[in-house]
Amino acid sequence: MSADAKTQIESLRKWVVDHKLRAVGSLWLSGITGSIAYNWSRPNMKPSVKIIHARLHAQALTLAALAGAAVVEYYDHKTGAKAARVNADH
């Protein structure tokens, strides 16, 4: 992995840490939009079933995003990065 790619990953990780709710909300919205688009292309399902499936897919994606945010938070807590960021803000 190149240094530029590591910098981009670190930048993305920092943004997710700073904007957890926005990241999870965006992921939920894109998940439900994608799932509705996929389910609507399947003609043999009732519209109510399509909506239920889209909600379930988005809910699973949201739980995965929350778990990911928790892992990032745990990593920051374990490495002391969060304490350094809080101290730098004050």
Side-chain angles (χ1 to χ4, degrees), residues 12-26 69:
L12 178 63
R13 188 195 65 77
K14 184 180 180 323
W15 186 87
V16 168
V17 167
D18 292 342
H19 302 95
K20 286 181 198 79
L21 291 177
R22 186 175 292 166
V24 171
S26 298

Side-chain angles (χ1 to χ4, degrees), residues 13 16-17 20 63-79:
R13 188 195 65 77
V16 168
V17 167
K20 286 181 198 79
L63 287 173
L66 287 171
V71 168
V72 169
E73 187 71 21
Y74 175 77
Y75 174 77
D76 276 358
H77 181 71
K78 195 80 167 165
T79 61

Side-chain angles (χ1 to χ4, degrees), residues 34-79:
S35 186
I36 286 174
Y38 170 73
N39 283 320
W40 237 259
S41 70
R42 302 172 72 194
N44 58 346
M45 295 169 80
K46 288 196 246 177
S48 60
V49 174
K50 292 176 184 182
I51 291 170
I52 290 169
H53 281 193
R55 186 192 62 81
L56 290 173
H57 293 147
Q59 188 173 8
L61 192 59
T62 301
L63 287 173
L66 287 171
V71 168
V72 169
E73 187 71 21
Y74 175 77
Y75 174 77
D76 276 358
H77 181 71
K78 195 80 167 165
T79 61

